[in-house]
Amino acid sequence: MGKIKAAIFDMDGVLTDTVKLHFKAWKKMFESHGYKFEYEDYKWKVDGKPRIDGIRSIAYDMPEDKLIEMAEEKQKIFLEFVEQENLEAFEDSIWLLNHLKQNDIKLAVASSSKNTTKILTKIGIYNMFDTIVTGYDFKKGKPDPEIFLTAAQRLNVNPKECVVFEDAIDGVKAGIRAGMLTIGVCRDGQFDRLKEAHYVVDRLDKISLELLENLHEKLFKKV
């Protein structure tokens, strides 16, 4: 029996291409309030964080009540985009989920998004997971490891027996702080952005359980 018992996936950008929708929604919201907002701002300052934290990283001069208003505005814009677009799960993600499931690996989603259940249902993969942790289920956002530790606890698996798949810098940091093997998913090929991860890929069909077991063995030999 291998050392890995569970795989925990971030959703946006890992399982489905909601990144472009989030970026468009953030950009529309921020620019309506007079803030310049580009893709690099999204990837470095906002991606993977709870909504309020993401807004605060750009609109740091705004009072708390205004931040809440901006968060609600961004959510409304994003949900409009979700309804308009034909969202699908990445084929390589489906492949890896099936590969791990066939090898009796428990599966979880751990996403800061409060839209997680809605989106997983829309793209038809909600029932593939043993547990789903959303933005409603934790207090401290990434890079704090609480979200991943919550997933491990629900799966009844030791954190050291988990692998995390993340496309955001703060998500990678959270996975490492949780004591888990952490794989960076960098679909834009800018691997340097996620260099803190234990391993980085641009597609999830480049992953196999054998590769994960080998990475796990090397990682925990160092500990």
Side-chain angles (χ1 to χ4, degrees):
M1 189 70 177
K3 298 291 187 185
I4 293 174
K5 305 287 173 57
I8 304 172
F9 293 82
D10 177 45
M11 180 180 67
D12 296 318
V14 175
L15 296 175
T16 185
D17 192 12
T18 42
V19 167
K20 62 186 178 186
L21 304 189
H22 278 294
F23 170 62
K24 277 167 57 179
W26 281 115
K27 187 174 178 69
K28 185 174 180 180
M29 184 277 292
F30 276 125
E31 292 187 349
S32 75
H33 291 276
Y35 294 94
K36 187 180 176 188
F37 189 77
E38 302 299 338
Y39 185 69
E40 287 302 302
D41 298 312
Y42 172 74
K43 293 311 288 182
W44 287 96
K45 297 180 180 179
V46 170
D47 189 22
K49 293 180 179 177
R51 208 174 299 141
I52 288 284
D53 294 345
I55 293 169
R56 192 180 285 114
S57 70
I58 302 292
Y60 50 83
D61 52 344
M62 285 286 186
E64 195 71 15
D65 60 337
K66 189 64 178 176
L67 294 176
I68 293 168
E69 277 181 34
M70 291 169 74
E72 290 170 354
E73 186 182 333
K74 187 267 171 179
Q75 168 73 343
K76 184 171 179 287
I77 296 167
F78 175 72
L79 289 177
E80 286 170 2
F81 286 146
V82 168
E83 292 304 321
Q84 293 164 11
E85 299 272 342
N86 182 29
L87 275 182
E88 294 180 346
F90 290 117
E91 286 184 14
D92 54 291
S93 302
I94 296 286
W95 180 89
L96 181 58
L97 291 171
N98 284 323
H99 172 67
L100 295 173
K101 213 168 183 65
Q102 287 160 9
N103 284 280
D104 299 319
I105 302 299
K106 293 180 180 180
L107 301 177
V109 172
S111 171
S112 299
S113 173
K114 292 184 175 178
N115 303 305
T116 304
T117 298
K118 179 184 180 75
I119 290 171
L120 291 175
T121 302
K122 180 170 177 130
I123 63 178
I125 62 173
Y126 180 86
N127 292 327
M128 294 191 76
F129 299 95
D130 298 289
T131 194
I132 293 167
V133 182
T134 78
Y136 292 107
D137 299 324
F138 61 91
K139 292 179 180 176
K140 297 176 184 174
K142 303 169 187 176
D144 190 276
E146 181 184 359
I147 187 171
F148 294 132
L149 295 174
T150 299
Q153 186 176 30
R154 288 188 184 179
L155 294 171
N156 197 27
V157 173
N158 187 304
K160 284 186 178 180
E161 297 174 324
C162 298
V163 56
V164 167
F165 294 91
E166 259 288 354
D167 76 322
I169 298 157
D170 280 345
V172 165
K173 289 177 179 176
I176 291 168
R177 290 175 188 178
M180 301 175 180
L181 172 63
T182 302
I183 308 297
V185 183
C186 205
R187 293 185 182 278
D188 59 10
Q190 296 179 14
F191 284 16
D192 196 52
R193 183 168 50 80
L194 300 181
K195 62 187 176 186
E196 290 182 44
H198 298 123
Y199 193 76
V200 185
V201 291
D202 57 355
R203 294 179 56 87
L204 289 181
D205 51 10
K206 292 183 176 178
I207 296 289
S208 67
L209 185 56
E210 182 182 11
L211 171 65
L212 294 175
E213 290 286 358
N214 288 338
L215 291 169
H216 186 279
E217 188 178 354
K218 287 177 187 173
L219 174 64
F220 288 105
K221 267 185 178 175
K222 296 177 185 175
V223 177

